[in-house]
Amino acid sequence: MMRNSLLFFLFSMSVFGQTEYPKDYFRSPLDIPLFLSGTFGELRGNHFHAGLDFKTQQKEGLNVYASADGYVSRIKISTWGYGKAIYVTHPNGFTTVYGHLSKASPVIEAYIKKNQYAQKAFEVEMNPKEGELVFKKGDIIAFSGNSGGSGGPHLHFEVRDSKTEKTINPMLFGFDKMVSDTKSPIINNLVVYPIGDSSSVNQTQRPLEVSLTQQKDGSYISEKITANGKIGFGVNTYDLFDKSYNKNGVFQVRALCNGKPFFGYKFDTFAFDESRYINALIDFTRYKRTGQRVQRLFMTEPYLLSLITSNNTYGMIEVKPNLYQNLQIEVSDFHQNKSVINIPIQYSNLPATILRDEKRSDYFLKARKDHSYAKDNVTVFIPAGTFYDDFYIDFDVKDSVLFLHNESIPVHNNITITFDDATLSEADREKTFIASREGKRLGYNKTYRKGTVFTTYTKDLGAFILAKDTIAPRISNPNFVEGKWISSQKKLEIYISDNLSGIAEYNGYLNGKWILFEYDYKTKKLSYDFADDIADNGRNDLKVVVTDNLGNSATFESHFFRNKQ
């Protein structure tokens, strides 16, 4: 019943999911030629990219314009993710998002600062009322930057459905006309997968990379596939734009057998809670081993990703005697530039000479069932739906270390890990957490404690151990000399770091008043803007307090002199 329901879902998305979007409603959020460093749906770590990344000429501070009339409905200031982000809701039912900003326009910036000082926090989230921050199409709302998880100066731009909050490819709104693209996608490699114990391809039961030859017309032809049983295919591909060397994601992939489409996906729109299914779409094990994201054109265990369309085979091909099959894979960008792979498939009853490389443990995990494992003082609970496929999972506890498989298997939902240790003193328990261990390196996991029991929720596999953090964060390298005059400086800067559990909180005070320090995790720098006008004429006393996730605190105190400008 589950497979039939999913098949209807996948089919109905392709039949009923076609929507027409306004092509000339939104303007460019920038006033420079648009070049992309990221496309919609592009494959990222644990998620699909939810918008377009526009290059900003390797600069910060470019004007960012409202793409249409509307009001600011949400502002989120974060150390991570989109960094400083502004959401503008428009009367046509869509919301545009502008991320990685350096700062907002003066009116919005004043609104943000007021809230930050009221909450005494840099990271804030606000939802202005409909009439508070209203803008016309083409008004400056912000300035481009490199805040949050950005790897370089650029503007992240999204279009969302205001009611459902599903994100939609901005190219569907006419942004394709603003970006030049005459280049077809590039095919890096093709992989064929024997599916099930009795299948083989070219006499191997293991995934096999297939040689491709490019033809004069630009299409590719693979070496002939001889196989038996069920098989599936995966493709590693990227797209190029004119006047750009970035390797971007493609828009659509389709698989056809003897001319009939049977599996594919199109990056037009998706919900954010679907995004982690990227780890089911790609060959995750291969990605962890090689860094290549091979997109699989089949599902052995169906999953609900609305981007996908499929028939009742879920992309798997049954190779039988006396049945010649020609498979085609079409890879397209939004501008309808296309690359095609032709794959001849022929039945062969030759036995496999290379057998499946499957390591078996004492624990066979069925993905659609709950599982609990316990040994010594450690318990692991894995709810149904945590993994995409059934597999033999490694579980053991040795010398108080939990060994829970390895990172080659993708995890969709949280696993609950519990350690019970009554040998620790109460003082030690307060500084103890469940750490991920990789060699000698320890990583912090947010840990909850009740008495002697420590619990964490994680989407990671590997080794885990109870660890202790008693070392306070480090505060260093202020950009002034104690007791000196710094009247010409525009900012106060200081660096903070923590060696284990990570920084949880930071606060700065000038002459006893709380001041807004912005934190950039990439540089580990706190910065205060003197334009906030809190500094006194003459002597100013600075105090900075930084606390890590286990409650260890460090305090820095100094003073300087300053004349108001």
Side-chain angles (χ1 to χ4, degrees):
M1 186 65 182
M2 169 67 182
R3 293 179 72 95
N4 291 337
S5 299
L6 182 60
L7 177 61
F8 175 76
F9 172 80
L10 296 171
F11 176 74
S12 63
M13 289 304 297
S14 64
V15 174
F16 305 115
Q18 305 301 321
T19 305
E20 284 297 320
Y21 299 99
K23 304 294 184 187
D24 301 312
Y25 189 87
F26 295 114
R27 61 152 284 172
S28 169
L30 299 170
D31 56 5
I32 58 174
L34 296 185
F35 296 99
L36 295 182
S37 59
T39 52
F40 183 86
E42 195 166 271
L43 310 178
R44 302 287 178 88
N46 294 319
H47 69 282
F48 300 111
H49 189 232
L52 299 178
D53 284 344
F54 294 126
K55 295 184 179 183
T56 55
Q57 301 175 339
Q58 299 180 338
K59 302 174 188 174
E60 297 185 43
L62 299 187
N63 293 342
V64 176
Y65 301 93
S67 284
D69 294 359
Y71 70 96
V72 175
S73 56
R74 183 186 182 198
I75 303 167
K76 186 172 183 180
I77 310 298
S78 175
T79 304
W80 316 95
Y82 292 175
K84 299 179 181 181
I86 292 174
Y87 300 66
V88 178
T89 294
H90 308 283
N92 68 339
F94 299 103
T95 295
T96 50
V97 183
Y98 312 79
H100 304 307
L101 305 170
S102 59
K103 62 180 179 179
S105 64
V107 172
I108 305 175
E109 191 70 14
Y111 182 92
I112 295 169
K113 285 282 182 76
K114 181 181 177 181
N115 279 271
Q116 288 174 318
Y117 272 96
Q119 298 180 41
K120 293 186 177 179
F122 168 60
E123 295 192 87
V124 292
E125 187 168 356
M126 297 149 278
N127 297 98
K129 295 178 181 178
E130 187 168 341
E132 282 188 272
L133 299 171
V134 179
F135 292 88
K136 290 290 186 182
K137 184 176 183 175
D139 287 349
I140 296 173
I141 58 169
F143 302 92
S144 67
N146 186 33
S147 59
S150 171
H154 73 279
L155 175 68
H156 175 85
F157 178 76
E158 289 180 24
V159 181
R160 298 185 184 181
D161 183 299
S162 298
K163 288 184 178 180
T164 67
E165 294 192 358
K166 290 183 73 173
T167 185
I168 306 164
N169 194 333
M171 293 291 200
L172 294 164
F173 293 85
F175 281 85
D176 57 318
K177 299 174 186 175
M178 307 178 199
V179 180
S180 177
D181 183 6
T182 60
K183 299 179 180 180
S184 297
I186 304 298
I187 308 297
N188 273 337
N189 54 356
L190 177 72
V191 179
V192 59
Y193 297 84
I195 300 168
D197 293 335
S198 60
S199 299
S200 66
V201 175
N202 294 6
Q203 294 187 270
T204 179
Q205 292 183 332
R206 301 178 188 178
L208 178 69
E209 186 171 333
V210 179
S211 297
L212 297 174
T213 303
Q214 193 164 17
Q215 307 299 295
K216 289 182 179 180
D217 64 357
S219 67
Y220 298 82
I221 186 167
S222 80
E223 62 178 287
K224 187 168 69 173
I225 302 295
T226 58
N228 59 73
K230 288 184 179 179
I231 63 173
F233 286 86
V235 63
N236 178 229
T237 181
Y238 65 88
D239 190 36
L240 294 172
F241 288 85
D242 296 348
K243 300 179 182 178
S244 176
Y245 297 100
N246 291 84
K247 295 180 178 180
N248 296 122
V250 301
F251 174 61
Q252 184 174 19
V253 182
R254 287 203 316 162
L256 304 90
C257 189
N258 298 333
K260 293 182 179 180
F262 66 95
F263 193 91
Y265 37 89
K266 183 176 6 179
F267 291 105
D268 48 10
T269 179
F270 62 87
F272 282 94
D273 60 6
E274 296 181 273
S275 198
R276 197 172 177 89
Y277 281 120
I278 182 177
N279 294 331
L281 177 68
I282 66 170
D283 182 343
F284 189 85
T285 302
R286 187 183 187 92
Y287 166 63
K288 283 297 182 180
R289 190 178 71 248
T290 67
Q292 294 179 343
R293 289 190 174 99
V294 173
Q295 302 168 49
R296 299 196 301 178
L297 299 171
F298 65 95
M299 297 185 287
T300 53
E301 287 292 333
Y303 51 91
L304 291 171
L305 177 57
S306 60
L307 295 163
I308 293 174
T309 56
S310 176
N311 65 7
N312 60 1
T313 68
Y314 296 100
M316 294 179 286
I317 301 163
E318 185 83 29
V319 184
K320 299 178 180 179
N322 304 318
L323 182 62
Y324 180 82
Q325 293 165 297
N326 186 69
L327 185 75
Q328 263 192 348
I329 296 174
E330 297 178 349
V331 182
S332 309
D333 60 31
F334 194 90
H335 292 76
Q336 299 181 15
N337 303 301
K338 185 187 297 184
S339 293
V340 177
I341 311 171
N342 291 290
I343 309 164
I345 303 171
Q346 187 173 328
Y347 174 80
S348 171
N349 61 1
L350 292 175
T353 56
I354 302 174
L355 302 181
R356 178 171 280 100
D357 183 20
E358 183 180 45
K359 295 179 180 178
R360 301 199 170 196
S361 71
D362 294 333
Y363 306 97
F364 185 70
L365 183 142
K366 290 184 177 290
R368 299 195 185 281
K369 291 186 176 182
D370 293 345
H371 294 270
S372 288
Y373 305 100
K375 184 178 179 181
D376 298 342
N377 63 328
V378 180
T379 303
V380 174
F381 174 68
I382 301 173
T386 298
F387 296 100
Y388 305 117
D389 297 298
D390 302 344
F391 70 104
Y392 285 94
I393 188 169
D394 291 325
F395 167 80
D396 201 1
V397 178
K398 294 179 180 178
D399 300 323
S400 299
V401 180
L402 164 64
F403 296 93
L404 187 62
H405 212 76
N406 59 67
E407 64 171 11
S408 67
I409 300 294
V411 183
H412 192 78
N413 296 317
N414 276 328
I415 296 168
T416 303
I417 296 175
T418 301
F419 282 74
D420 188 347
D421 193 336
T423 66
L424 297 171
S425 68
E426 182 60 27
D428 283 343
R429 288 174 198 158
E430 291 179 356
K431 300 298 181 183
T432 298
F433 66 98
I434 298 176
S436 302
R437 192 184 79 173
E438 188 174 348
K440 294 183 178 180
R441 185 171 172 269
L442 298 179
Y444 174 75
N445 294 294
K446 187 174 183 179
T447 302
Y448 304 87
R449 182 174 71 89
K450 187 173 182 180
T452 63
V453 178
F454 301 84
T455 302
T456 191
Y457 305 95
T458 180
K459 292 184 175 74
D460 294 322
L461 297 173
F464 298 86
I465 190 173
L466 286 180
K468 197 164 54 172
D469 183 3
T470 59
I471 301 173
R474 185 168 179 258
I475 307 173
S476 62
N477 299 328
N479 68 336
F480 66 92
V481 177
E482 184 171 76
K484 297 294 184 181
W485 287 84
I486 58 170
S487 301
S488 62
Q489 284 186 203
K490 293 184 177 181
K491 291 191 175 183
L492 200 59
E493 297 176 346
I494 197 164
Y495 291 82
I496 62 176
S497 59
D498 188 73
N499 73 325
L500 187 51
S501 64
I503 292 166
E505 188 178 12
Y506 47 87
N507 287 285
Y509 305 89
L510 207 52
N511 306 316
K513 297 179 182 177
W514 186 89
I515 58 174
L516 176 63
F517 267 114
E518 295 192 7
Y519 178 54
D520 180 3
Y521 80 92
K522 298 188 288 287
T523 60
K524 300 182 179 180
K525 182 171 69 176
L526 291 176
S527 59
Y528 162 73
D529 192 336
F530 280 115
D532 287 0
D533 200 26
I534 294 176
D536 290 339
N537 272 318
R539 177 174 171 134
N540 286 267
D541 293 302
L542 174 68
K543 181 179 180 180
V544 180
V545 181
V546 182
T547 306
D548 67 19
N549 282 293
L550 269 297
N552 303 299
S553 288
T555 301
F556 172 88
E557 293 184 280
S558 187
H559 71 278
F560 57 86
F561 294 88
R562 182 176 176 84
N563 285 326
K564 288 193 175 183
Q565 301 296 304

